[in-house]
Coordinates of all heavy atoms in Angstrom, one line a residue:
M210 N 0.8 -1.2 0.1 CA 0.0 0.0 0.0 C 0.9 1.2 -0.1 O 1.7 1.5 0.9 CB -1.0 -0.1 1.2 CG -1.7 1.2 1.4 SD -2.8 1.1 2.8 CE -4.3 0.7 2.0
K211 N 0.8 2.1 -1.0 CA 1.6 3.2 -1.2 C 1.5 4.2 -0.1 O 2.5 4.8 0.3 CB 1.3 3.9 -2.5 CG 2.0 3.3 -3.7 CD 1.9 4.3 -4.9 CE 0.7 4.0 -5.7 NZ 0.6 4.9 -6.9
A212 N 0.4 4.3 0.6 CA 0.0 5.2 1.6 C 1.1 5.0 2.8 O 1.3 5.9 3.6 CB -1.4 5.4 2.1
L213 N 1.4 3.8 3.0 CA 2.2 3.5 4.2 C 3.6 3.4 3.9 O 4.5 3.1 4.8 CB 1.7 2.1 4.8 CG 0.4 2.2 5.3 CD1 0.0 0.7 5.8 CD2 0.1 3.1 6.4
K214 N 4.1 3.7 2.8 CA 5.5 3.7 2.3 C 6.2 4.9 2.9 O 5.6 5.9 3.1 CB 5.8 3.5 0.9 CG 5.1 2.2 0.4 CD 5.9 1.0 0.9 CE 5.3 -0.3 0.4 NZ 5.6 -1.3 1.2
G215 N 7.6 4.8 2.9 CA 8.3 6.1 3.2 C 8.4 6.4 4.6 O 8.5 7.6 4.9
G216 N 8.2 5.4 5.6 CA 8.3 5.7 6.9 C 7.0 6.1 7.5 O 7.0 6.5 8.8
Y217 N 5.9 6.1 6.9 CA 4.6 6.5 7.3 C 4.0 5.4 8.3 O 3.1 5.7 9.2 CB 3.6 6.9 6.3 CG 4.0 8.2 5.7 CD1 4.4 8.2 4.4 CD2 3.7 9.4 6.4 CE1 5.0 9.3 3.7 CE2 4.2 10.6 5.7 CZ 4.7 10.5 4.4 OH 5.0 11.7 3.8
R218 N 4.4 4.2 8.1 CA 3.7 3.1 8.8 C 3.9 3.2 10.4 O 3.1 3.1 11.2 CB 4.4 1.8 8.4 CG 3.9 0.5 9.3 CD 2.3 0.3 9.2 NE 1.8 -0.6 10.0 CZ 1.3 -0.5 11.1 NH1 1.1 0.7 11.6 NH2 0.8 -1.5 11.8
E219 N 5.1 3.7 10.8 CA 5.4 3.9 12.2 C 4.5 5.1 12.8 O 4.6 5.2 14.0 CB 7.0 4.1 12.4 CG 7.7 3.0 12.1 CD 7.9 2.6 10.6 OE1 7.8 3.6 9.8 OE2 8.1 1.4 10.2
K220 N 4.0 5.9 11.9 CA 3.3 7.1 12.5 C 1.7 6.8 12.5 O 1.0 7.7 12.9 CB 3.6 8.2 11.5 CG 5.0 8.7 11.5 CD 5.3 9.8 10.5 CE 6.8 10.1 10.5 NZ 7.0 11.2 9.5
V221 N 1.3 5.7 12.2 CA -0.1 5.5 12.2 C -0.5 4.2 12.9 O 0.4 3.3 13.2 CB -0.8 5.3 10.7 CG1 -0.4 6.5 9.8 CG2 -0.1 4.0 10.1
Q222 N -1.6 4.2 13.3 CA -2.3 2.9 14.0 C -3.2 2.3 12.9 O -4.1 2.9 12.3 CB -3.2 3.3 15.1 CG -2.5 3.9 16.4 CD -1.7 3.0 17.1 OE1 -2.2 1.9 17.5 NE2 -0.5 3.3 17.4
L223 N -2.9 1.1 12.5 CA -3.6 0.4 11.4 C -4.6 -0.7 12.0 O -4.2 -1.5 12.8 CB -2.4 -0.3 10.6 CG -2.9 -1.1 9.3 CD1 -3.7 -0.1 8.4 CD2 -1.8 -1.9 8.7
A224 N -5.9 -0.5 11.6 CA -6.9 -1.3 12.0 C -7.6 -1.9 10.8 O -7.6 -1.3 9.8 CB -7.8 -0.6 12.8
T225 N -7.9 -3.2 10.9 CA -8.7 -3.9 9.9 C -9.4 -5.0 10.6 O -9.4 -5.2 11.7 CB -7.8 -4.5 8.7 OG1 -8.6 -4.9 7.6 CG2 -6.9 -5.6 9.2
K226 N -10.4 -5.6 9.9 CA -11.3 -6.6 10.4 C -11.3 -7.9 9.6 O -10.8 -8.0 8.5 CB -12.7 -5.9 10.5 CG -13.2 -5.5 9.1 CD -14.4 -4.4 9.2 CE -14.6 -4.0 7.8 NZ -15.4 -2.7 7.7
F227 N -12.0 -8.8 10.3 CA -12.2 -10.1 9.6 C -13.8 -10.7 9.9 O -14.3 -10.1 10.8 CB -11.1 -11.1 10.0 CG -11.2 -11.6 11.4 CD1 -12.0 -12.7 11.8 CD2 -10.6 -10.9 12.4 CE1 -12.2 -13.1 13.0 CE2 -10.8 -11.3 13.8 CZ -11.5 -12.4 14.1
A228 N -14.0 -11.6 9.2 CA -15.2 -12.5 9.5 C -16.0 -12.8 8.3 O -16.6 -13.8 8.3 CB -16.2 -11.9 10.5
I229 N -16.1 -11.8 7.4 CA -17.0 -12.1 6.2 C -16.0 -12.6 5.0 O -15.1 -12.2 4.6 CB -17.6 -10.8 5.7 CG1 -18.4 -10.3 6.8 CG2 -18.4 -11.1 4.4 CD1 -19.1 -8.9 6.5
R230 N -16.3 -13.9 4.9 CA -15.5 -14.7 3.8 C -15.8 -14.3 2.4 O -16.9 -14.1 2.1 CB -15.7 -16.3 4.1 CG -14.8 -17.0 3.3 CD -15.3 -18.6 3.3 NE -15.4 -19.0 4.5 CZ -14.3 -19.8 5.2 NH1 -13.3 -20.2 4.4 NH2 -14.6 -20.3 6.3
V231 N -14.7 -13.9 1.7 CA -14.9 -13.6 0.3 C -14.4 -14.8 -0.5 O -13.3 -15.4 -0.2 CB -14.0 -12.3 -0.1 CG1 -14.1 -12.0 -1.5 CG2 -14.4 -11.2 0.8
L232 N -15.2 -15.3 -1.4 CA -14.8 -16.5 -2.2 C -14.0 -16.1 -3.3 O -13.8 -14.8 -3.6 CB -16.1 -17.1 -2.8 CG -17.2 -17.6 -1.5 CD1 -18.4 -18.1 -2.2 CD2 -16.4 -18.6 -0.6
E233 N -13.4 -17.1 -3.9 CA -12.5 -16.9 -5.0 C -13.2 -16.1 -6.2 O -12.4 -15.3 -6.8 CB -11.8 -18.2 -5.5 CG -11.1 -18.8 -4.4 CD -10.0 -19.7 -5.1 OE1 -9.7 -19.7 -6.2 OE2 -9.4 -20.5 -4.2
D234 N -14.4 -16.3 -6.4 CA -15.1 -15.5 -7.5 C -15.5 -14.1 -7.1 O -16.0 -13.3 -7.9 CB -16.3 -16.3 -8.0 CG -17.4 -16.3 -7.0 OD1 -17.2 -15.8 -5.9 OD2 -18.5 -17.0 -7.3
G235 N -15.1 -13.7 -5.9 CA -15.3 -12.3 -5.4 C -16.7 -12.2 -4.6 O -16.8 -11.2 -4.0
S236 N -17.5 -13.3 -4.6 CA -18.8 -13.2 -3.9 C -18.5 -13.4 -2.4 O -17.6 -13.9 -1.9 CB -19.8 -14.2 -4.4 OG -19.3 -15.4 -4.3
M237 N -19.5 -13.0 -1.6 CA -19.5 -13.2 -0.1 C -19.9 -14.6 0.2 O -20.9 -15.1 -0.2 CB -20.4 -12.1 0.5 CG -20.1 -10.7 0.2 SD -18.4 -10.3 0.9 CE -18.3 -8.7 0.3
G238 N -19.2 -15.3 1.0 CA -19.4 -16.6 1.4 C -19.9 -16.7 2.8 O -20.0 -17.8 3.4
G239 N -20.3 -15.6 3.3 CA -21.0 -15.7 4.7 C -19.9 -15.5 5.9 O -18.8 -15.1 5.5
I240 N -20.4 -15.6 7.0 CA -19.5 -15.1 8.2 C -18.8 -16.4 8.6 O -19.4 -17.5 8.7 CB -20.5 -14.6 9.3 CG1 -21.2 -13.4 8.9 CG2 -19.7 -14.3 10.6 CD1 -22.2 -12.8 9.6
C241 N -17.6 -16.2 9.0 CA -16.7 -17.3 9.3 C -15.9 -17.1 10.5 O -15.1 -16.0 10.5 CB -15.9 -17.9 8.3 SG -15.2 -19.5 8.8
G242 N -16.0 -17.8 11.7 CA -15.2 -17.5 12.9 C -14.3 -18.6 13.2 O -13.7 -18.7 14.3
E243 N -14.1 -19.5 12.2 CA -13.2 -20.6 12.5 C -11.7 -20.1 12.6 O -11.3 -19.4 11.8 CB -13.3 -21.7 11.4 CG -14.6 -22.3 11.3 CD -14.9 -23.3 12.5 OE1 -13.9 -23.8 12.9 OE2 -16.0 -23.5 12.7
P244 N -10.9 -20.5 13.5 CA -9.5 -20.1 13.7 C -8.7 -20.2 12.4 O -8.0 -19.3 12.2 CB -9.0 -21.1 14.9 CG -10.2 -21.5 15.7 CD -11.3 -21.6 14.7
A245 N -8.9 -21.4 11.7 CA -8.1 -21.5 10.5 C -8.4 -20.3 9.4 O -7.5 -19.7 8.8 CB -8.3 -22.8 9.8
Y246 N -9.6 -19.9 9.4 CA -10.1 -18.8 8.5 C -9.5 -17.5 9.1 O -9.0 -16.7 8.3 CB -11.6 -18.7 8.4 CG -11.9 -17.3 7.8 CD1 -11.7 -17.1 6.5 CD2 -12.5 -16.4 8.5 CE1 -12.1 -15.9 5.9 CE2 -12.7 -15.1 8.0 CZ -12.6 -14.8 6.6 OH -12.9 -13.7 6.1
V247 N -9.5 -17.3 10.3 CA -9.0 -16.1 11.0 C -7.6 -15.8 10.6 O -7.1 -14.8 10.2 CB -9.2 -16.0 12.6 CG1 -8.6 -14.8 13.1 CG2 -10.7 -16.2 12.8
R248 N -6.8 -17.0 10.8 CA -5.4 -16.9 10.4 C -5.1 -16.6 9.0 O -4.4 -15.7 8.6 CB -4.7 -18.1 10.7 CG -3.2 -18.2 10.4 CD -2.4 -19.5 10.7 NE -2.4 -19.7 12.2 CZ -1.4 -19.1 13.0 NH1 -0.5 -18.2 12.4 NH2 -1.3 -19.1 14.3
A249 N -5.9 -17.3 8.1 CA -5.8 -17.1 6.6 C -6.2 -15.6 6.2 O -5.5 -15.0 5.5 CB -6.5 -18.1 5.9
A250 N -7.2 -15.2 6.9 CA -7.6 -13.7 6.6 C -6.7 -12.8 7.1 O -6.4 -11.8 6.4 CB -9.0 -13.5 7.3
C251 N -6.0 -13.0 8.3 CA -4.9 -12.1 8.7 C -3.8 -12.1 7.9 O -3.2 -11.0 7.5 CB -4.6 -12.5 10.1 SG -3.4 -11.4 10.9
E252 N -3.4 -13.3 7.5 CA -2.1 -13.3 6.5 C -2.5 -12.6 5.2 O -1.5 -11.9 4.6 CB -1.8 -14.8 6.3 CG -1.1 -15.4 7.6 CD -1.0 -16.9 7.5 OE1 -1.4 -17.5 6.4 OE2 -0.4 -17.5 8.5
A253 N -3.7 -12.7 4.7 CA -4.1 -12.1 3.4 C -4.0 -10.5 3.6 O -3.6 -9.9 2.7 CB -5.5 -12.6 3.0
S254 N -4.6 -10.2 4.8 CA -4.5 -8.7 5.0 C -3.1 -8.2 5.1 O -2.9 -7.1 4.5 CB -5.4 -8.4 6.4 OG -6.7 -8.6 6.2
L255 N -2.4 -8.9 5.8 CA -0.8 -8.4 6.0 C -0.3 -8.4 4.4 O 0.4 -7.4 4.1 CB -0.1 -9.4 6.7 CG -0.3 -9.4 8.1 CD1 0.3 -10.6 8.9 CD2 0.1 -8.1 8.8
R256 N -0.5 -9.3 3.6 CA 0.0 -9.2 2.2 C -0.7 -8.1 1.4 O 0.0 -7.4 0.7 CB -0.4 -10.6 1.4 CG 0.5 -11.7 1.8 CD 0.5 -12.9 0.9 NE -1.0 -13.3 0.8 CZ -1.5 -14.2 1.6 NH1 -0.8 -14.7 2.6 NH2 -2.8 -14.6 1.5
R257 N -2.0 -7.9 1.4 CA -2.7 -6.9 0.8 C -2.1 -5.5 1.1 O -1.9 -4.6 0.3 CB -4.2 -6.9 0.9 CG -4.8 -7.8 0.0 CD -6.4 -7.7 -0.1 NE -6.9 -7.6 1.3 CZ -7.3 -8.8 2.1 NH1 -7.0 -10.1 1.5 NH2 -7.9 -8.7 3.2
L258 N -2.0 -5.3 2.5 CA -1.5 -4.1 3.0 C 0.0 -3.8 2.8 O 0.4 -2.8 3.1 CB -1.9 -3.9 4.4 CG -3.5 -3.9 4.6 CD1 -3.8 -4.0 6.2 CD2 -4.1 -2.7 4.1
D259 N 0.7 -4.9 2.6 CA 2.1 -4.9 2.6 C 2.9 -4.3 3.8 O 3.6 -3.5 3.7 CB 2.6 -4.1 1.4 CG 4.0 -4.4 1.0 OD1 4.6 -5.4 1.4 OD2 4.7 -3.5 0.3
V260 N 2.3 -4.9 4.9 CA 2.9 -4.5 6.3 C 3.2 -5.8 7.0 O 2.8 -6.8 6.7 CB 1.8 -3.6 7.1 CG1 1.5 -2.4 6.4 CG2 0.6 -4.5 7.4
D261 N 4.0 -5.6 8.1 CA 4.5 -6.8 8.9 C 3.7 -7.0 10.1 O 3.5 -8.1 10.7 CB 5.9 -6.4 9.5 CG 7.0 -6.4 8.4 OD1 6.8 -7.1 7.3 OD2 7.8 -5.5 8.6
Y262 N 2.8 -6.0 10.4 CA 1.8 -6.2 11.5 C 0.7 -5.2 11.4 O 0.7 -4.3 10.7 CB 2.6 -6.0 12.9 CG 3.0 -4.5 13.1 CD1 2.3 -3.5 13.9 CD2 4.3 -4.1 12.7 CE1 2.8 -2.3 14.0 CE2 4.8 -2.8 12.7 CZ 3.9 -1.8 13.4 OH 4.4 -0.6 13.5
I263 N -0.4 -5.7 12.2 CA -1.6 -5.0 12.2 C -1.8 -4.6 13.8 O -1.7 -5.4 14.6 CB -2.8 -5.7 11.8 CG1 -2.6 -6.1 10.2 CG2 -4.2 -5.1 11.9 CD1 -3.5 -7.2 9.8
D264 N -2.2 -3.2 14.0 CA -2.2 -2.7 15.3 C -3.6 -3.3 16.0 O -3.6 -3.7 17.2 CB -2.2 -1.3 15.4 CG -0.9 -0.8 15.0 OD1 0.2 -1.1 15.7 OD2 -0.8 0.0 13.9
L265 N -4.7 -3.2 15.3 CA -5.9 -3.6 15.7 C -6.6 -4.5 14.8 O -6.9 -4.2 13.6 CB -6.9 -2.4 16.0 CG -8.3 -2.8 16.5 CD1 -8.3 -3.4 17.8 CD2 -9.1 -1.3 16.7
Y266 N -6.9 -5.8 15.1 CA -7.4 -6.7 14.1 C -8.7 -7.2 14.9 O -8.7 -7.8 16.0 CB -6.4 -7.8 13.9 CG -6.9 -8.8 12.8 CD1 -7.1 -8.2 11.4 CD2 -7.1 -10.2 12.9 CE1 -7.4 -9.0 10.4 CE2 -7.5 -10.9 11.8 CZ -7.7 -10.4 10.7 OH -7.9 -11.2 9.5
Y267 N -9.9 -6.9 14.3 CA -11.1 -7.1 15.1 C -12.2 -7.8 14.2 O -12.1 -8.0 13.2 CB -11.6 -5.9 15.7 CG -12.1 -4.9 14.7 CD1 -13.4 -4.7 14.2 CD2 -11.1 -4.0 14.1 CE1 -13.7 -3.8 13.3 CE2 -11.6 -3.0 13.2 CZ -12.9 -2.8 12.8 OH -13.2 -1.9 11.8
V268 N -13.2 -8.5 15.0 CA -14.2 -9.2 14.4 C -15.2 -8.3 13.8 O -15.8 -7.5 14.5 CB -14.8 -10.2 15.3 CG1 -15.9 -11.0 14.7 CG2 -13.8 -11.1 16.1
H269 N -15.6 -8.4 12.5 CA -16.5 -7.6 11.8 C -17.9 -8.0 12.3 O -18.8 -7.2 12.5 CB -16.3 -7.6 10.4 CG -17.2 -6.7 9.6 ND1 -17.0 -5.2 9.6 CD2 -18.2 -6.8 8.9 CE1 -18.0 -4.8 8.9 NE2 -18.7 -5.7 8.4
R270 N -18.1 -9.3 12.2 CA -19.4 -10.0 12.5 C -19.1 -11.3 13.3 O -18.2 -12.0 12.9 CB -20.1 -10.3 11.3 CG -20.6 -9.2 10.4 CD -21.8 -8.6 11.0 NE -22.4 -7.7 10.1 CZ -22.1 -6.3 10.0 NH1 -21.2 -5.9 10.9 NH2 -22.7 -5.5 9.3
I271 N -19.9 -11.5 14.4 CA -19.7 -12.7 15.1 C -20.3 -13.9 14.5 O -21.4 -13.9 14.1 CB -20.2 -12.5 16.5 CG1 -19.7 -11.3 17.3 CG2 -20.2 -13.8 17.4 CD1 -18.2 -11.4 17.6
D272 N -19.5 -15.0 14.4 CA -20.0 -16.3 13.8 C -20.7 -17.0 15.0 O -20.0 -17.4 16.0 CB -18.9 -17.1 13.3 CG -19.4 -18.3 12.7 OD1 -20.5 -18.8 12.9 OD2 -18.6 -19.0 12.0
T273 N -22.0 -17.0 15.2 CA -22.7 -17.5 16.4 C -22.6 -19.0 16.5 O -22.9 -19.6 17.4 CB -24.2 -17.1 16.4 OG1 -24.7 -17.6 15.2 CG2 -24.3 -15.6 16.5
R274 N -22.0 -19.7 15.3 CA -21.8 -21.1 15.4 C -20.5 -21.5 16.1 O -20.2 -22.6 16.5 CB -21.7 -21.7 14.1 CG -23.0 -21.5 13.2 CD -22.9 -21.8 11.7 NE -21.9 -20.8 11.2 CZ -21.3 -21.0 10.2 NH1 -21.4 -22.0 9.4 NH2 -20.4 -20.0 9.7
V275 N -19.6 -20.5 16.4 CA -18.2 -20.7 16.9 C -18.1 -20.0 18.2 O -18.2 -18.7 18.1 CB -17.2 -20.4 15.9 CG1 -15.8 -20.7 16.5 CG2 -17.3 -21.1 14.5
P276 N -17.9 -20.5 19.3 CA -17.7 -19.7 20.5 C -16.6 -18.6 20.2 O -15.6 -18.9 19.7 CB -17.2 -20.7 21.6 CG -17.7 -22.0 21.0 CD -17.6 -21.9 19.7
I277 N -16.7 -17.4 20.7 CA -15.9 -16.4 20.6 C -14.4 -16.6 21.0 O -13.4 -16.3 20.5 CB -16.4 -15.0 21.1 CG1 -15.4 -13.9 20.7 CG2 -16.4 -15.1 22.7 CD1 -15.6 -13.6 19.2
E278 N -14.4 -17.5 22.2 CA -13.1 -17.9 22.7 C -12.3 -18.8 21.7 O -11.1 -18.7 21.6 CB -13.2 -18.6 24.0 CG -13.9 -18.1 25.1 CD -15.4 -17.9 25.0 OE1 -15.9 -18.5 24.2 OE2 -16.0 -17.3 25.9
V279 N -13.0 -19.5 20.8 CA -12.3 -20.3 19.8 C -11.9 -19.4 18.7 O -10.9 -19.5 18.2 CB -13.4 -21.4 19.3 CG1 -12.8 -22.2 18.1 CG2 -13.6 -22.4 20.4
T280 N -12.8 -18.5 18.3 CA -12.6 -17.6 17.2 C -11.2 -16.8 17.4 O -10.4 -16.8 16.6 CB -13.7 -16.6 16.9 OG1 -14.9 -17.3 16.5 CG2 -13.2 -15.6 15.8
V281 N -11.0 -16.2 18.6 CA -9.9 -15.4 18.8 C -8.7 -16.3 19.6 O -7.7 -15.7 19.9 CB -10.2 -14.3 19.8 CG1 -11.3 -13.4 19.1 CG2 -10.7 -14.8 21.1
S282 N -8.8 -17.5 19.5 CA -7.8 -18.3 20.3 C -6.4 -18.2 19.6 O -5.4 -18.3 20.3 CB -8.2 -19.8 20.2 OG -8.3 -20.3 18.9
L283 N -6.3 -17.9 18.3 CA -5.1 -17.7 17.7 C -4.5 -16.4 17.7 O -3.3 -16.2 17.4 CB -5.1 -18.1 16.1 CG -5.5 -19.6 15.8 CD1 -5.7 -19.9 14.4 CD2 -4.4 -20.5 16.4
L284 N -5.2 -15.4 18.1 CA -4.8 -14.0 18.2 C -3.8 -13.8 19.4 O -4.2 -14.3 20.5 CB -5.9 -13.1 18.2 CG -6.9 -13.2 16.9 CD1 -8.1 -12.3 17.1 CD2 -6.1 -12.8 15.7
P285 N -2.9 -13.1 19.3 CA -1.9 -12.9 20.4 C -2.6 -12.0 21.6 O -3.6 -11.4 21.3 CB -0.7 -12.0 19.9 CG -1.2 -11.6 18.5 CD -2.4 -12.3 18.3

């Protein structure tokens, strides 16, 4: 992401969210709170944003099929 290049990353707090699965065709695949999805979504966000870390990574929608403790179990 060009906006964060040139030393700007250290000057901002970066926040993004997860939970709404986007399928390969670009359509919405529903809400997912499975830990494996959370990890994959986080890694994809890091790649898209071209950063090493995210300051605030939060749940956009709660997956009521998965206990929240399970959903966030992989987050530091």
Side-chain angles (χ1 to χ4, degrees):
M210 173 176 259
K211 280 196 268 184
L213 297 176
K214 297 296 180 200
Y217 290 106
R218 174 62 184 102
E219 293 74 27
K220 297 177 183 179
V221 299
Q222 297 286 312
L223 182 62
T225 190
K226 57 195 174 199
F227 69 92
I229 300 176
R230 185 187 303 258
V231 178
L232 302 176
E233 295 206 14
D234 67 0
S236 65
M237 299 299 175
I240 297 168
C241 185
E243 294 293 333
Y246 167 73
V247 175
R248 178 177 293 279
C251 183
E252 290 170 356
S254 291
L255 290 167
R256 280 191 306 275
R257 275 193 308 276
L258 295 167
D259 193 23
V260 295
D261 296 325
Y262 63 96
I263 297 166
D264 298 297
L265 175 62
Y266 194 58
Y267 63 98
V268 183
H269 183 74
R270 296 281 188 268
I271 301 294
D272 183 346
T273 57
R274 299 167 299 159
V275 180
I277 191 65
E278 296 85 1
V279 173
T280 297
V281 300
S282 65
L283 294 176
L284 301 176

